Amino acid sequence: MGSIASKSTEGPNDDVIEQIVCNENDIPDNGMQEFEIGNNGNKVLVVKQNNEFFAVGSKCSHYGAPLVKGALGNGTVRCPWHGACFNLKSGDIEDFPGFDNIPSFKVSVTNGNVKVSANKCALENAKFVKPLTKRNPENKRTFIVIGSGPAGAECVEKLRQEGYDGRLILISKDGFLPYDRTKLSKALGSDVNGILLRSLPFYESGDIELLTKTSVESIDTSTKVLYLSNNEQLTFDALFIASGMTPRSTPEVSKYDNVFTLRTIEDAHKIHQSLSSDCHLVVVGSSFIGMELAAATFSKVKSVHVIGRSEVPFKESLGKEIGERVQELFESKGVVFHMKTSVKNYIGYNNRLSEIELSDGQKLKADVCIMATGSKTNVEFLAGSNIAINPSNGTIEVDKYLETNVKGIFAGGDVANAPVYPSNIKSSLGHWQLATYHGKIAALQMLGKKTPIKSVPFFWTALFGTSIRFAGFNHGYTDVLINGDLENFKAVVYYCKGNEVVAVATVGSDPIAAQFAELLGSGRTLNKEQAIDNKWLTEEEDTVVCTRL
């Protein structure tokens, strides 16, 4: 067998290590193994697939998870922790989270020996970024992206990496470069410079114009003109709307100085600065933001009370079974829950909240209150435009290519009502991974590279050191199947719609969520019988295939 062609990240003059790592029979077909290269403890992942060998960096570019423990797909490897997916030939990131690629290396097989040629710099850095195309003054086109969340950030980056050399503008209400908002609910005191997705020199290297502290006031879709808060007008050829959402609040509670919502780094810092060891904190809302905040702040305050309308936390997203066990975990730490109830009255004086009265008449002392009661879409600037808005939830209607009803205008991320793969049921999912993927797809569409959505939703949370992973879309599920020991947080929960498994949630059971995402992503389905005792994980691949989608 000769050398395997790959888009290696090493250059002709680089300092390269060449090393025989194994015999070609040491790795089974569709198998993978880590090997240490050189003398500095650096590793590569070697994969054998269809009797060809590939070598890529051993760690996910997102949080450094060992890819050897992940899920192998057809020409890809998927991270065991958060589901990011990488191409085995090029190392390119194909699904998210994260923004960086991993290095790929040359592999050759001679006399049965598998030899890897690895660039030292690529080995040590473990990830790389594709260079950005510079602007060409001769190209008179203008592409504009609204929103600096993961969708907007990925879109401008992908456009430049795919060769777009016209004018490119990113518009953001925020005063900072795009940053990782997922960190905020887990670490309120985060330094924004430590969570930036990309540096200023990065954007400058691609001639990406950044308009921060700027909002779009209105859009004229017939003339393709944006009217901005700084009184500028911008004409565009293609537009991507990723304006996201704003946390819900009400005038009766937002008037108090010690009531907060969490969306921005400024919000996080205000909450962080308000907390003290003698503080009584009340969190209104028992889904992801509320629960992550309760866990993150518990050690910093005197008490934490959580108010929720549902029977248990996460009831709508993860179901009763996981919700009950998570509530028990929080209660074991001392967090107090008030479920199946609502706030009757907010009581305060001189712009400061002091008590919260519940619908059952109970009153809670509240030195600080965090509202985590959902969000509303940022679409006010679309009033008067021809862009179709879903009347039930305020999201922007898009097709499987993320295009709105107006040609050349796309939308993605939380603000879009988009088909969810593989069911193609439309929904607005507030997932970091999916929003990033939307940014990639939107960039390709803006360049005329028509690519339908094909990403399995994947999200995660970490609570008091316990990580929960979720893959799929459990809209309309009818029952659940639990394998393992949920009491001791080592279990897999299968969400079933009739006889079909449509989603899984795992705790202490990596990489099963990633394996399920890979199964759905490859066009296969799983039935309930195969899920019993996780049988599908040990069956031959052809017995796992129920239906080709």
PDB file of all heavy atoms in Angstrom, residues 501-521:
ATOM      1  N   VAL A 501     -35.831   5.674  18.331  1.00  0.00           N
ATOM      2  CA  VAL A 501     -35.087   6.512  19.273  1.00  0.00           C
ATOM      3  C   VAL A 501     -34.730   7.814  18.554  1.00  0.00           C
ATOM      4  O   VAL A 501     -34.042   7.789  17.527  1.00  0.00           O
ATOM      5  CB  VAL A 501     -33.805   5.812  19.763  1.00  0.00           C
ATOM      6  CG1 VAL A 501     -33.026   6.735  20.681  1.00  0.00           C
ATOM      7  CG2 VAL A 501     -34.149   4.513  20.476  1.00  0.00           C
ATOM      8  N   VAL A 502     -35.194   8.945  19.092  1.00  0.00           N
ATOM      9  CA  VAL A 502     -34.964  10.226  18.424  1.00  0.00           C
ATOM     10  C   VAL A 502     -33.897  11.064  19.114  1.00  0.00           C
ATOM     11  O   VAL A 502     -33.402  12.044  18.541  1.00  0.00           O
ATOM     12  CB  VAL A 502     -36.278  11.033  18.311  1.00  0.00           C
ATOM     13  CG1 VAL A 502     -37.256  10.326  17.372  1.00  0.00           C
ATOM     14  CG2 VAL A 502     -36.915  11.259  19.682  1.00  0.00           C
ATOM     15  N   ALA A 503     -33.537  10.700  20.349  1.00  0.00           N
ATOM     16  CA  ALA A 503     -32.515  11.469  21.071  1.00  0.00           C
ATOM     17  C   ALA A 503     -31.988  10.640  22.227  1.00  0.00           C
ATOM     18  O   ALA A 503     -32.636   9.685  22.676  1.00  0.00           O
ATOM     19  CB  ALA A 503     -33.097  12.782  21.592  1.00  0.00           C
ATOM     20  N   VAL A 504     -30.810  11.008  22.710  1.00  0.00           N
ATOM     21  CA  VAL A 504     -30.265  10.386  23.912  1.00  0.00           C
ATOM     22  C   VAL A 504     -29.696  11.457  24.823  1.00  0.00           C
ATOM     23  O   VAL A 504     -29.217  12.499  24.365  1.00  0.00           O
ATOM     24  CB  VAL A 504     -29.148   9.352  23.607  1.00  0.00           C
ATOM     25  CG1 VAL A 504     -29.641   8.260  22.694  1.00  0.00           C
ATOM     26  CG2 VAL A 504     -27.911  10.020  23.037  1.00  0.00           C
ATOM     27  N   ALA A 505     -29.760  11.189  26.122  1.00  0.00           N
ATOM     28  CA  ALA A 505     -29.043  11.987  27.108  1.00  0.00           C
ATOM     29  C   ALA A 505     -28.169  11.030  27.894  1.00  0.00           C
ATOM     30  O   ALA A 505     -28.609   9.924  28.236  1.00  0.00           O
ATOM     31  CB  ALA A 505     -30.006  12.718  28.040  1.00  0.00           C
ATOM     32  N   THR A 506     -26.939  11.425  28.145  1.00  0.00           N
ATOM     33  CA  THR A 506     -26.030  10.542  28.864  1.00  0.00           C
ATOM     34  C   THR A 506     -25.388  11.270  30.032  1.00  0.00           C
ATOM     35  O   THR A 506     -25.188  12.478  29.998  1.00  0.00           O
ATOM     36  CB  THR A 506     -24.909  10.007  27.945  1.00  0.00           C
ATOM     37  OG1 THR A 506     -23.997  11.076  27.624  1.00  0.00           O
ATOM     38  CG2 THR A 506     -25.475   9.432  26.672  1.00  0.00           C
ATOM     39  N   VAL A 507     -25.075  10.503  31.058  1.00  0.00           N
ATOM     40  CA  VAL A 507     -24.318  11.009  32.189  1.00  0.00           C
ATOM     41  C   VAL A 507     -23.350   9.910  32.598  1.00  0.00           C
ATOM     42  O   VAL A 507     -23.742   8.750  32.759  1.00  0.00           O
ATOM     43  CB  VAL A 507     -25.247  11.429  33.354  1.00  0.00           C
ATOM     44  CG1 VAL A 507     -26.135  10.302  33.805  1.00  0.00           C
ATOM     45  CG2 VAL A 507     -24.453  12.007  34.507  1.00  0.00           C
ATOM     46  N   GLY A 508     -22.073  10.259  32.676  1.00  0.00           N
ATOM     47  CA  GLY A 508     -21.058   9.270  33.005  1.00  0.00           C
ATOM     48  C   GLY A 508     -20.975   8.142  32.003  1.00  0.00           C
ATOM     49  O   GLY A 508     -20.577   7.030  32.350  1.00  0.00           O
ATOM     50  N   SER A 509     -21.333   8.404  30.753  1.00  0.00           N
ATOM     51  CA  SER A 509     -21.394   7.323  29.755  1.00  0.00           C
ATOM     52  C   SER A 509     -20.819   7.758  28.408  1.00  0.00           C
ATOM     53  O   SER A 509     -21.333   7.382  27.350  1.00  0.00           O
ATOM     54  CB  SER A 509     -22.848   6.863  29.566  1.00  0.00           C
ATOM     55  OG  SER A 509     -23.405   6.424  30.776  1.00  0.00           O
ATOM     56  N   ASP A 510     -19.763   8.556  28.441  1.00  0.00           N
ATOM     57  CA  ASP A 510     -19.121   8.941  27.183  1.00  0.00           C
ATOM     58  C   ASP A 510     -18.531   7.705  26.515  1.00  0.00           C
ATOM     59  O   ASP A 510     -18.077   6.791  27.216  1.00  0.00           O
ATOM     60  CB  ASP A 510     -17.994   9.953  27.448  1.00  0.00           C
ATOM     61  CG  ASP A 510     -18.535  11.289  27.948  1.00  0.00           C
ATOM     62  OD1 ASP A 510     -19.713  11.576  27.680  1.00  0.00           O
ATOM     63  OD2 ASP A 510     -17.779  12.023  28.610  1.00  0.00           O
ATOM     64  N   PRO A 511     -18.513   7.612  25.181  1.00  0.00           N
ATOM     65  CA  PRO A 511     -18.920   8.634  24.212  1.00  0.00           C
ATOM     66  C   PRO A 511     -20.268   8.331  23.563  1.00  0.00           C
ATOM     67  O   PRO A 511     -20.456   8.582  22.377  1.00  0.00           O
ATOM     68  CB  PRO A 511     -17.803   8.531  23.166  1.00  0.00           C
ATOM     69  CG  PRO A 511     -17.541   7.040  23.104  1.00  0.00           C
ATOM     70  CD  PRO A 511     -17.793   6.500  24.498  1.00  0.00           C
ATOM     71  N   ILE A 512     -21.222   7.779  24.309  1.00  0.00           N
ATOM     72  CA  ILE A 512     -22.455   7.282  23.692  1.00  0.00           C
ATOM     73  C   ILE A 512     -23.249   8.393  23.002  1.00  0.00           C
ATOM     74  O   ILE A 512     -23.806   8.180  21.917  1.00  0.00           O
ATOM     75  CB  ILE A 512     -23.313   6.536  24.739  1.00  0.00           C
ATOM     76  CG1 ILE A 512     -22.579   5.254  25.167  1.00  0.00           C
ATOM     77  CG2 ILE A 512     -24.685   6.192  24.176  1.00  0.00           C
ATOM     78  CD1 ILE A 512     -23.286   4.448  26.248  1.00  0.00           C
ATOM     79  N   ALA A 513     -23.297   9.587  23.582  1.00  0.00           N
ATOM     80  CA  ALA A 513     -24.011  10.683  22.917  1.00  0.00           C
ATOM     81  C   ALA A 513     -23.367  10.995  21.574  1.00  0.00           C
ATOM     82  O   ALA A 513     -24.055  11.218  20.570  1.00  0.00           O
ATOM     83  CB  ALA A 513     -24.042  11.923  23.802  1.00  0.00           C
ATOM     84  N   ALA A 514     -22.027  11.001  21.538  1.00  0.00           N
ATOM     85  CA  ALA A 514     -21.317  11.255  20.281  1.00  0.00           C
ATOM     86  C   ALA A 514     -21.565  10.131  19.282  1.00  0.00           C
ATOM     87  O   ALA A 514     -21.731  10.371  18.074  1.00  0.00           O
ATOM     88  CB  ALA A 514     -19.823  11.415  20.550  1.00  0.00           C
ATOM     89  N   GLN A 515     -21.605   8.891  19.765  1.00  0.00           N
ATOM     90  CA  GLN A 515     -21.872   7.758  18.869  1.00  0.00           C
ATOM     91  C   GLN A 515     -23.276   7.835  18.285  1.00  0.00           C
ATOM     92  O   GLN A 515     -23.493   7.517  17.114  1.00  0.00           O
ATOM     93  CB  GLN A 515     -21.673   6.444  19.629  1.00  0.00           C
ATOM     94  CG  GLN A 515     -20.218   6.153  19.960  1.00  0.00           C
ATOM     95  CD  GLN A 515     -20.059   4.974  20.899  1.00  0.00           C
ATOM     96  OE1 GLN A 515     -20.721   4.900  21.934  1.00  0.00           O
ATOM     97  NE2 GLN A 515     -19.185   4.044  20.562  1.00  0.00           N
ATOM     98  N   PHE A 516     -24.239   8.270  19.102  1.00  0.00           N
ATOM     99  CA  PHE A 516     -25.604   8.400  18.601  1.00  0.00           C
ATOM    100  C   PHE A 516     -25.690   9.521  17.565  1.00  0.00           C
ATOM    101  O   PHE A 516     -26.362   9.384  16.538  1.00  0.00           O
ATOM    102  CB  PHE A 516     -26.576   8.653  19.755  1.00  0.00           C
ATOM    103  CG  PHE A 516     -28.012   8.755  19.319  1.00  0.00           C
ATOM    104  CD1 PHE A 516     -28.721   7.618  18.975  1.00  0.00           C
ATOM    105  CD2 PHE A 516     -28.647   9.983  19.231  1.00  0.00           C
ATOM    106  CE1 PHE A 516     -30.045   7.690  18.561  1.00  0.00           C
ATOM    107  CE2 PHE A 516     -29.963  10.074  18.825  1.00  0.00           C
ATOM    108  CZ  PHE A 516     -30.670   8.934  18.484  1.00  0.00           C
ATOM    109  N   ALA A 517     -25.007  10.640  17.837  1.00  0.00           N
ATOM    110  CA  ALA A 517     -24.987  11.740  16.866  1.00  0.00           C
ATOM    111  C   ALA A 517     -24.385  11.271  15.549  1.00  0.00           C
ATOM    112  O   ALA A 517     -24.866  11.623  14.465  1.00  0.00           O
ATOM    113  CB  ALA A 517     -24.198  12.920  17.428  1.00  0.00           C
ATOM    114  N   GLU A 518     -23.340  10.447  15.636  1.00  0.00           N
ATOM    115  CA  GLU A 518     -22.709   9.926  14.426  1.00  0.00           C
ATOM    116  C   GLU A 518     -23.650   8.985  13.688  1.00  0.00           C
ATOM    117  O   GLU A 518     -23.736   9.002  12.455  1.00  0.00           O
ATOM    118  CB  GLU A 518     -21.410   9.200  14.798  1.00  0.00           C
ATOM    119  CG  GLU A 518     -20.568   8.798  13.608  1.00  0.00           C
ATOM    120  CD  GLU A 518     -20.222   9.974  12.729  1.00  0.00           C
ATOM    121  OE1 GLU A 518     -19.750  11.004  13.248  1.00  0.00           O
ATOM    122  OE2 GLU A 518     -20.443   9.868  11.502  1.00  0.00           O
ATOM    123  N   LEU A 519     -24.385   8.164  14.425  1.00  0.00           N
ATOM    124  CA  LEU A 519     -25.346   7.254  13.809  1.00  0.00           C
ATOM    125  C   LEU A 519     -26.408   8.027  13.024  1.00  0.00           C
ATOM    126  O   LEU A 519     -26.660   7.741  11.847  1.00  0.00           O
ATOM    127  CB  LEU A 519     -25.991   6.385  14.885  1.00  0.00           C
ATOM    128  CG  LEU A 519     -27.002   5.334  14.414  1.00  0.00           C
ATOM    129  CD1 LEU A 519     -26.857   4.052  15.218  1.00  0.00           C
ATOM    130  CD2 LEU A 519     -28.442   5.844  14.541  1.00  0.00           C
ATOM    131  N   LEU A 520     -27.013   9.033  13.665  1.00  0.00           N
ATOM    132  CA  LEU A 520     -28.033   9.817  12.962  1.00  0.00           C
ATOM    133  C   LEU A 520     -27.424  10.598  11.807  1.00  0.00           C
ATOM    134  O   LEU A 520     -28.020  10.718  10.730  1.00  0.00           O
ATOM    135  CB  LEU A 520     -28.716  10.793  13.927  1.00  0.00           C
ATOM    136  CG  LEU A 520     -29.630  10.224  15.006  1.00  0.00           C
ATOM    137  CD1 LEU A 520     -30.358  11.352  15.722  1.00  0.00           C
ATOM    138  CD2 LEU A 520     -30.642   9.237  14.437  1.00  0.00           C
ATOM    139  N   GLY A 521     -26.224  11.139  12.030  1.00  0.00           N
ATOM    140  CA  GLY A 521     -25.577  11.934  10.997  1.00  0.00           C
ATOM    141  C   GLY A 521     -25.241  11.137   9.755  1.00  0.00           C
ATOM    142  O   GLY A 521     -25.139  11.693   8.660  1.00  0.00           O
TER     143      GLY A 521
END
